[in-house]
Amino acid sequence: MHCVRTVTDNLYWVGANDHRLTLFENIHPIPRGVSYNAYLLLDEKSVLFDTVDWSACRQLLENMEYLLAGKPLDYLVINHMEPDHGASIEEILLRWPKVKVISTEKSFMLMRQFGFHVDGHELVEVKEGDTYSFGAHNVTFVGAPMVHWPEAMVTFDTTNGVLFSADAFGSFIALDGKLFADEVDFDRDWIDEARRYLTNIVGKYGPHIQLLLKKAGGILDQIKFICPLHGPVWRKDLMYFIDKYDKWSRYEPEEKGVLIAYASMYGNTEAAAQALAAKLCEKGVTNVAVYDVSNTHVSYLISEAFKYSHIVLASVTYNLGIYPVMHNFLMDMKALNLQNRTFALIENGSWACKSGDLMQKFIDEELKNMTVLNERLSLASSLSESKGAELDALADALTESVRA
Ligand SMILES: Cc1cc2nc3c(=O)[nH]c(=O)nc-3n(C[C@H](O)[C@H](O)[C@H](O)COP(=O)(O)O)c2cc1C
Ligand SMILES: [Fe+2]
Ligand SMILES: [Fe+2]
């Protein structure tokens, strides 16, 4: 059975939802699922924009067969070759052998590398700024390298103002019937998963997103719809989401507030993290989020680190090192290029406390544009009452810095 939605005149969503995949890219948990979006334009020529993951191919085919109603598919535009979108290319070629494929040089190279038999088909290689007409609809192709792979491009339909934005402006969470961002409470129910998607998947490539945003900036008044490859389509309040993308890709905090991430084996470092959170709230800084790094997938920690202006790391010393899960969080911050945050440190050790110095060294030497507050809270096994003044000093320093 087909399951399609109308985006605008003659343009249809023909993608699919996935609630079975546990780990996106086999790393990131997606408890609320994900959608693979593909779009079909029925102009004088019929055009499919991107395909779907292999697991969703059957649904894509049923959707296309329903809308094409026996007519041929004339064009396949591939904006992004990662297999969550490109995996069904071969099947499309087999079903519609006369389809012409439009994509970038690098994308065609990747198709061959992945073993797709594209060479018997008419291939149209496009470059930055090339245009094409499908009848009433004229499109321009715009390079989007490293958003999220080097071959990526976006396609702008100048006739109806639709931007096929590839992985940019995407989000985790299955659509489940909804198609447009204005059909859900995005700011309440989706923003955290949109941030987790962007920061973990494309976070490293902030400057490349900035480049794409600059190109989009030139035609902002012409963009009426943003059609990403995951998550909802945007047709209202586009600037809300563009602003979020701008912040995330400039590594600017979204909110003044404090993320407290703790690593604790027996609960004493955890108690210190909680005591600090309570002190901050007592002082009026209530935008505080506390996470145990051991039971929170690092993708959520990264997303929160991109959200908040201040990050407190509280870690035990573990065999003279940083607790491994905390170390992993730090390495992920480095890998995803997080910058421009203010840190504070809580360390714990029972005989040779090292975690504070080691975390400080990592932040100073491996991360960019970070500040570490001088007020460090150092525990010998547990937070004794005698440490009350140090805890207060740390809370005061954070409060002052958050309010600055
Ligand atoms: C396996 C293991 C290794 C540890 N290694 C060190 C260490 O090298 N240096 C140190 O000062 N404390 C070490 N500790 C003690 C912890 O840093 C910490 O003081 C203790 O676990 C209490 O904090 P918690 O209740 O938050 O776990 C170790 C503890 C464990 C269980
Ligand atoms: Fe991708
Ligand atoms: Fe994707």
Side-chain angles (χ1 to χ4, degrees), residues 181-225:
D182 55 86
E183 293 176 331
V184 300
D185 191 334
F186 196 90
D187 199 52
R188 188 189 67 194
D189 300 333
W190 283 69
I191 188 66
D192 288 336
E193 286 295 86
R195 184 190 313 102
R196 193 164 66 87
Y197 166 82
L198 182 273
T199 55
N200 284 278
I201 308 293
V202 203
K204 183 178 171 57
Y205 306 112
H208 298 85
I209 297 173
Q210 280 292 311
L211 209 66
L212 184 61
L213 288 175
K214 281 209 181 69
K215 291 183 193 178
I219 52 159
L220 222 45
D221 54 325
Q222 297 170 51
I223 302 176
K224 303 286 178 252
F225 296 85

Tab-separated table of all heavy atoms in Angstrom, residues 181-225:
chain	number	residue	atom	x	y	z
A	181	ALA	N	6.918	20.586	9.670
A	181	ALA	CA	7.336	20.972	11.021
A	181	ALA	C	6.205	21.680	11.758
A	181	ALA	O	6.120	21.614	12.978
A	181	ALA	CB	8.576	21.865	10.944
A	182	ASP	N	5.313	22.348	10.992
A	182	ASP	CA	4.206	23.049	11.660
A	182	ASP	C	3.052	22.111	12.008
A	182	ASP	O	2.036	22.547	12.544
A	182	ASP	CB	3.722	24.223	10.788
A	182	ASP	CG	3.344	23.788	9.393
A	182	ASP	OD1	2.204	23.363	9.187
A	182	ASP	OD2	4.222	23.848	8.492
A	183	GLU	N	3.205	20.832	11.707
A	183	GLU	CA	2.192	19.851	12.136
A	183	GLU	C	2.572	19.185	13.460
A	183	GLU	O	1.850	18.314	13.951
A	183	GLU	CB	2.006	18.776	11.052
A	183	GLU	CG	1.380	19.327	9.783
A	183	GLU	CD	1.284	18.302	8.660
A	183	GLU	OE1	2.118	17.380	8.592
A	183	GLU	OE2	0.363	18.436	7.837
A	184	VAL	N	3.730	19.546	13.977
A	184	VAL	CA	4.153	19.028	15.290
A	184	VAL	C	4.535	20.222	16.167
A	184	VAL	O	4.658	21.347	15.673
A	184	VAL	CB	5.369	18.075	15.158
A	184	VAL	CG1	5.027	16.891	14.270
A	184	VAL	CG2	6.612	18.803	14.637
A	185	ASP	N	4.710	19.978	17.468
A	185	ASP	CA	5.233	21.037	18.336
A	185	ASP	C	6.743	20.886	18.327
A	185	ASP	O	7.314	20.209	19.191
A	185	ASP	CB	4.645	20.901	19.740
A	185	ASP	CG	4.953	22.124	20.593
A	185	ASP	OD1	5.967	22.803	20.327
A	185	ASP	OD2	4.178	22.399	21.529
A	186	PHE	N	7.372	21.479	17.312
A	186	PHE	CA	8.787	21.220	17.067
A	186	PHE	C	9.652	21.661	18.236
A	186	PHE	O	10.534	20.929	18.678
A	186	PHE	CB	9.234	21.914	15.769
A	186	PHE	CG	10.547	21.374	15.258
A	186	PHE	CD1	10.581	20.301	14.386
A	186	PHE	CD2	11.747	21.919	15.680
A	186	PHE	CE1	11.788	19.776	13.944
A	186	PHE	CE2	12.954	21.397	15.238
A	186	PHE	CZ	12.968	20.334	14.370
A	187	ASP	N	9.365	22.858	18.742
A	187	ASP	CA	10.228	23.397	19.792
A	187	ASP	C	10.089	22.599	21.097
A	187	ASP	O	11.005	22.551	21.905
A	187	ASP	CB	9.905	24.871	20.044
A	187	ASP	CG	11.050	25.572	20.752
A	187	ASP	OD1	12.194	25.473	20.265
A	187	ASP	OD2	10.809	26.177	21.807
A	188	ARG	N	8.959	21.952	21.287
A	188	ARG	CA	8.772	21.154	22.499
A	188	ARG	C	9.224	19.702	22.296
A	188	ARG	O	9.922	19.144	23.129
A	188	ARG	CB	7.288	21.164	22.893
A	188	ARG	CG	7.006	20.520	24.248
A	188	ARG	CD	5.522	20.352	24.489
A	188	ARG	NE	4.939	19.384	23.560
A	188	ARG	CZ	3.634	19.228	23.343
A	188	ARG	NH1	2.770	19.997	23.975
A	188	ARG	NH2	3.177	18.321	22.493
A	189	ASP	N	8.848	19.102	21.148
A	189	ASP	CA	9.004	17.652	20.996
A	189	ASP	C	10.142	17.212	20.081
A	189	ASP	O	10.517	16.045	20.085
A	189	ASP	CB	7.695	17.043	20.457
A	189	ASP	CG	6.524	17.294	21.389
A	189	ASP	OD1	6.761	17.448	22.599
A	189	ASP	OD2	5.385	17.354	20.902
A	190	TRP	N	10.662	18.119	19.261
A	190	TRP	CA	11.610	17.695	18.237
A	190	TRP	C	12.998	18.315	18.347
A	190	TRP	O	13.969	17.764	17.847
A	190	TRP	CB	11.050	18.017	16.838
A	190	TRP	CG	9.998	17.064	16.382
A	190	TRP	CD1	8.741	16.930	16.900
A	190	TRP	CD2	10.110	16.103	15.322
A	190	TRP	NE1	8.065	15.944	16.213
A	190	TRP	CE2	8.870	15.429	15.240
A	190	TRP	CE3	11.126	15.770	14.429
A	190	TRP	CZ2	8.628	14.425	14.312
A	190	TRP	CZ3	10.885	14.771	13.491
A	190	TRP	CH2	9.646	14.104	13.435
A	191	ILE	N	13.071	19.477	18.974
A	191	ILE	CA	14.323	20.229	18.879
A	191	ILE	C	15.516	19.454	19.458
A	191	ILE	O	16.620	19.483	18.897
A	191	ILE	CB	14.191	21.644	19.511
A	191	ILE	CG1	15.428	22.492	19.239
A	191	ILE	CG2	13.925	21.584	21.003
A	191	ILE	CD1	15.650	22.831	17.800
A	192	ASP	N	15.293	18.724	20.561
A	192	ASP	CA	16.407	17.994	21.161
A	192	ASP	C	16.943	16.915	20.213
A	192	ASP	O	18.151	16.697	20.127
A	192	ASP	CB	15.981	17.352	22.490
A	192	ASP	CG	15.790	18.386	23.594
A	192	ASP	OD1	16.394	19.486	23.486
A	192	ASP	OD2	15.043	18.113	24.544
A	193	GLU	N	16.028	16.263	19.511
A	193	GLU	CA	16.466	15.207	18.592
A	193	GLU	C	17.044	15.801	17.299
A	193	GLU	O	17.901	15.191	16.660
A	193	GLU	CB	15.313	14.257	18.282
A	193	GLU	CG	14.986	13.322	19.445
A	193	GLU	CD	16.119	12.345	19.769
A	193	GLU	OE1	17.013	12.747	20.544
A	193	GLU	OE2	16.113	11.218	19.261
A	194	ALA	N	16.563	16.976	16.923
A	194	ALA	CA	17.154	17.652	15.761
A	194	ALA	C	18.586	18.067	16.081
A	194	ALA	O	19.502	17.911	15.271
A	194	ALA	CB	16.325	18.877	15.378
A	195	ARG	N	18.769	18.588	17.302
A	195	ARG	CA	20.115	18.991	17.718
A	195	ARG	C	21.027	17.774	17.841
A	195	ARG	O	22.172	17.792	17.427
A	195	ARG	CB	20.063	19.742	19.046
A	195	ARG	CG	21.425	20.276	19.492
A	195	ARG	CD	21.433	20.803	20.913
A	195	ARG	NE	20.321	21.675	21.217
A	195	ARG	CZ	19.246	21.278	21.907
A	195	ARG	NH1	19.156	20.044	22.369
A	195	ARG	NH2	18.271	22.121	22.151
A	196	ARG	N	20.492	16.682	18.406
A	196	ARG	CA	21.324	15.485	18.570
A	196	ARG	C	21.731	14.938	17.201
A	196	ARG	O	22.862	14.496	17.007
A	196	ARG	CB	20.568	14.412	19.385
A	196	ARG	CG	21.472	13.268	19.855
A	196	ARG	CD	20.812	12.462	20.945
A	196	ARG	NE	19.631	11.749	20.504
A	196	ARG	CZ	19.617	10.528	19.957
A	196	ARG	NH1	20.754	9.854	19.812
A	196	ARG	NH2	18.492	9.968	19.581
A	197	TYR	N	20.809	15.000	16.251
A	197	TYR	CA	21.130	14.573	14.888
A	197	TYR	C	22.245	15.447	14.299
A	197	TYR	O	23.291	14.966	13.892
A	197	TYR	CB	19.874	14.650	14.005
A	197	TYR	CG	20.158	14.567	12.531
A	197	TYR	CD1	20.360	13.341	11.905
A	197	TYR	CD2	20.266	15.722	11.749
A	197	TYR	CE1	20.654	13.268	10.557
A	197	TYR	CE2	20.555	15.654	10.403
A	197	TYR	CZ	20.746	14.422	9.816
A	197	TYR	OH	21.053	14.362	8.485
A	198	LEU	N	22.006	16.742	14.291
A	198	LEU	CA	22.955	17.635	13.620
A	198	LEU	C	24.333	17.601	14.281
A	198	LEU	O	25.357	17.435	13.610
A	198	LEU	CB	22.403	19.063	13.617
A	198	LEU	CG	23.201	20.169	12.931
A	198	LEU	CD1	24.231	20.830	13.823
A	198	LEU	CD2	23.849	19.715	11.628
A	199	THR	N	24.357	17.714	15.615
A	199	THR	CA	25.648	17.876	16.279
A	199	THR	C	26.485	16.603	16.195
A	199	THR	O	27.695	16.667	16.051
A	199	THR	CB	25.463	18.300	17.750
A	199	THR	OG1	24.623	17.353	18.421
A	199	THR	CG2	24.827	19.673	17.842
A	200	ASN	N	25.827	15.455	16.257
A	200	ASN	CA	26.581	14.197	16.213
A	200	ASN	C	26.928	13.752	14.802
A	200	ASN	O	27.954	13.128	14.582
A	200	ASN	CB	25.798	13.074	16.906
A	200	ASN	CG	25.857	13.211	18.418
A	200	ASN	OD1	26.825	12.799	19.038
A	200	ASN	ND2	24.835	13.813	19.008
A	201	ILE	N	26.055	14.054	13.859
A	201	ILE	CA	26.274	13.555	12.498
A	201	ILE	C	27.143	14.536	11.704
A	201	ILE	O	28.056	14.142	10.990
A	201	ILE	CB	24.929	13.345	11.756
A	201	ILE	CG1	23.977	12.479	12.588
A	201	ILE	CG2	25.137	12.753	10.371
A	201	ILE	CD1	24.377	11.062	12.801
A	202	VAL	N	26.837	15.814	11.809
A	202	VAL	CA	27.524	16.794	10.971
A	202	VAL	C	28.263	17.841	11.812
A	202	VAL	O	28.835	18.786	11.275
A	202	VAL	CB	26.517	17.492	10.007
A	202	VAL	CG1	27.240	18.068	8.791
A	202	VAL	CG2	25.451	16.527	9.496
A	203	GLY	N	28.259	17.658	13.149
A	203	GLY	CA	28.834	18.663	14.041
A	203	GLY	C	30.253	19.067	13.692
A	203	GLY	O	30.632	20.239	13.781
A	204	LYS	N	31.027	18.093	13.262
A	204	LYS	CA	32.429	18.344	12.933
A	204	LYS	C	32.572	19.349	11.783
A	204	LYS	O	33.586	20.023	11.661
A	204	LYS	CB	33.062	17.012	12.523
A	204	LYS	CG	34.529	17.065	12.210
A	204	LYS	CD	35.025	15.658	11.875
A	204	LYS	CE	36.444	15.665	11.337
A	204	LYS	NZ	37.409	16.286	12.235
A	205	TYR	N	31.544	19.445	10.944
A	205	TYR	CA	31.683	20.236	9.715
A	205	TYR	C	30.983	21.588	9.785
A	205	TYR	O	30.416	22.057	8.794
A	205	TYR	CB	31.169	19.409	8.522
A	205	TYR	CG	31.842	18.062	8.445
A	205	TYR	CD1	31.143	16.884	8.673
A	205	TYR	CD2	33.214	17.975	8.189
A	205	TYR	CE1	31.783	15.649	8.642
A	205	TYR	CE2	33.861	16.751	8.169
A	205	TYR	CZ	33.142	15.593	8.389
A	205	TYR	OH	33.781	14.385	8.367
A	206	GLY	N	31.055	22.220	10.946
A	206	GLY	CA	30.431	23.526	11.127
A	206	GLY	C	30.777	24.524	10.027
A	206	GLY	O	29.887	25.168	9.463
A	207	PRO	N	32.070	24.688	9.686
A	207	PRO	CA	32.416	25.663	8.642
A	207	PRO	C	31.769	25.349	7.295
A	207	PRO	O	31.414	26.262	6.545
A	207	PRO	CB	33.947	25.543	8.542
A	207	PRO	CG	34.362	25.013	9.886
A	207	PRO	CD	33.253	24.115	10.330
A	208	HIS	N	31.581	24.065	6.989
A	208	HIS	CA	30.938	23.698	5.725
A	208	HIS	C	29.449	24.032	5.755
A	208	HIS	O	28.877	24.442	4.749
A	208	HIS	CB	31.143	22.206	5.439
A	208	HIS	CG	32.587	21.838	5.282
A	208	HIS	ND1	33.391	21.554	6.359
A	208	HIS	CD2	33.368	21.750	4.183
A	208	HIS	CE1	34.613	21.292	5.923
A	208	HIS	NE2	34.629	21.403	4.612
A	209	ILE	N	28.828	23.869	6.928
A	209	ILE	CA	27.414	24.260	7.064
A	209	ILE	C	27.304	25.772	6.917
A	209	ILE	O	26.402	26.287	6.252
A	209	ILE	CB	26.841	23.809	8.418
A	209	ILE	CG1	26.876	22.286	8.517
A	209	ILE	CG2	25.408	24.323	8.613
A	209	ILE	CD1	26.482	21.747	9.876
A	210	GLN	N	28.259	26.492	7.521
A	210	GLN	CA	28.266	27.955	7.409
A	210	GLN	C	28.337	28.390	5.945
A	210	GLN	O	27.665	29.331	5.532
A	210	GLN	CB	29.448	28.534	8.197
A	210	GLN	CG	29.197	28.632	9.698
A	210	GLN	CD	28.139	29.683	10.030
A	210	GLN	OE1	28.193	30.810	9.561
A	210	GLN	NE2	27.158	29.298	10.823
A	211	LEU	N	29.162	27.673	5.188
A	211	LEU	CA	29.304	27.983	3.764
A	211	LEU	C	27.965	27.811	3.041
A	211	LEU	O	27.545	28.668	2.249
A	211	LEU	CB	30.354	27.038	3.152
A	211	LEU	CG	31.134	27.550	1.965
A	211	LEU	CD1	32.017	28.729	2.389
A	211	LEU	CD2	32.019	26.432	1.385
A	212	LEU	N	27.293	26.708	3.354
A	212	LEU	CA	25.991	26.447	2.736
A	212	LEU	C	24.968	27.506	3.167
A	212	LEU	O	24.176	27.992	2.358
A	212	LEU	CB	25.507	25.041	3.122
A	212	LEU	CG	24.193	24.580	2.483
A	212	LEU	CD1	24.307	24.546	0.961
A	212	LEU	CD2	23.771	23.209	3.008
A	213	LEU	N	25.019	27.881	4.459
A	213	LEU	CA	24.085	28.906	4.948
A	213	LEU	C	24.321	30.232	4.242
A	213	LEU	O	23.379	30.975	3.953
A	213	LEU	CB	24.217	29.079	6.465
A	213	LEU	CG	23.672	27.938	7.338
A	213	LEU	CD1	23.974	28.186	8.809
A	213	LEU	CD2	22.167	27.767	7.141
A	214	LYS	N	25.584	30.531	3.963
A	214	LYS	CA	25.892	31.785	3.242
A	214	LYS	C	25.287	31.747	1.846
A	214	LYS	O	24.709	32.736	1.389
A	214	LYS	CB	27.403	31.985	3.158
A	214	LYS	CG	27.973	32.515	4.438
A	214	LYS	CD	29.229	33.375	4.245
A	214	LYS	CE	29.719	33.822	5.607
A	214	LYS	NZ	30.254	32.678	6.406
A	215	LYS	N	25.431	30.599	1.176
A	215	LYS	CA	24.850	30.473	-0.166
A	215	LYS	C	23.328	30.616	-0.081
A	215	LYS	O	22.706	31.290	-0.897
A	215	LYS	CB	25.195	29.107	-0.775
A	215	LYS	CG	26.665	28.938	-1.135
A	215	LYS	CD	26.885	27.584	-1.801
A	215	LYS	CE	28.353	27.226	-1.893
A	215	LYS	NZ	28.580	25.906	-2.495
A	216	ALA	N	22.720	29.970	0.923
A	216	ALA	CA	21.259	30.047	1.081
A	216	ALA	C	20.845	31.474	1.415
A	216	ALA	O	19.780	31.939	0.984
A	216	ALA	CB	20.790	29.090	2.170
A	217	GLY	N	21.724	32.182	2.163
A	217	GLY	CA	21.421	33.555	2.569
A	217	GLY	C	21.113	34.442	1.380
A	217	GLY	O	20.256	35.334	1.462
A	218	GLY	N	21.780	34.188	0.260
A	218	GLY	CA	21.597	34.996	-0.941
A	218	GLY	C	20.225	34.829	-1.568
A	218	GLY	O	19.781	35.688	-2.337
A	219	ILE	N	19.557	33.710	-1.281
A	219	ILE	CA	18.247	33.455	-1.920
A	219	ILE	C	17.163	33.197	-0.882
A	219	ILE	O	16.127	32.605	-1.178
A	219	ILE	CB	18.337	32.227	-2.876
A	219	ILE	CG1	18.941	31.011	-2.152
A	219	ILE	CG2	19.121	32.555	-4.128
A	219	ILE	CD1	18.605	29.698	-2.827
A	220	LEU	N	17.427	33.689	0.340
A	220	LEU	CA	16.534	33.390	1.463
A	220	LEU	C	15.074	33.727	1.162
A	220	LEU	O	14.154	32.988	1.511
A	220	LEU	CB	17.008	34.165	2.695
A	220	LEU	CG	16.995	33.419	4.024
A	220	LEU	CD1	17.575	32.030	3.916
A	220	LEU	CD2	17.744	34.226	5.074
A	221	ASP	N	14.878	34.875	0.488
A	221	ASP	CA	13.507	35.315	0.214
A	221	ASP	C	12.812	34.397	-0.799
A	221	ASP	O	11.586	34.397	-0.901
A	221	ASP	CB	13.510	36.760	-0.282
A	221	ASP	CG	14.433	36.929	-1.482
A	221	ASP	OD1	15.487	36.247	-1.518
A	221	ASP	OD2	14.095	37.712	-2.385
A	222	GLN	N	13.608	33.610	-1.531
A	222	GLN	CA	12.993	32.718	-2.533
A	222	GLN	C	12.691	31.322	-1.987
A	222	GLN	O	11.975	30.545	-2.610
A	222	GLN	CB	13.943	32.544	-3.725
A	222	GLN	CG	14.229	33.827	-4.483
A	222	GLN	CD	15.354	33.605	-5.484
A	222	GLN	OE1	15.322	32.662	-6.271
A	222	GLN	NE2	16.373	34.451	-5.448
A	223	ILE	N	13.276	30.999	-0.819
A	223	ILE	CA	13.076	29.642	-0.276
A	223	ILE	C	11.727	29.562	0.428
A	223	ILE	O	11.488	30.241	1.424
A	223	ILE	CB	14.213	29.253	0.699
A	223	ILE	CG1	15.572	29.321	-0.005
A	223	ILE	CG2	13.980	27.850	1.260
A	223	ILE	CD1	16.755	29.048	0.909
A	224	LYS	N	10.856	28.733	-0.101
A	224	LYS	CA	9.510	28.589	0.474
A	224	LYS	C	9.368	27.274	1.254
A	224	LYS	O	8.554	27.171	2.171
A	224	LYS	CB	8.449	28.619	-0.633
A	224	LYS	CG	8.492	29.891	-1.489
A	224	LYS	CD	7.940	31.099	-0.726
A	224	LYS	CE	8.024	32.364	-1.557
A	224	LYS	NZ	9.050	33.287	-1.074
A	225	PHE	N	10.114	26.280	0.819
A	225	PHE	CA	10.070	24.967	1.483
A	225	PHE	C	11.504	24.460	1.637
A	225	PHE	O	12.309	24.594	0.719
A	225	PHE	CB	9.327	23.924	0.632
A	225	PHE	CG	7.873	24.228	0.399
A	225	PHE	CD1	7.492	25.068	-0.644
A	225	PHE	CD2	6.892	23.649	1.204
A	225	PHE	CE1	6.157	25.337	-0.876
A	225	PHE	CE2	5.548	23.918	0.971
A	225	PHE	CZ	5.167	24.763	-0.067
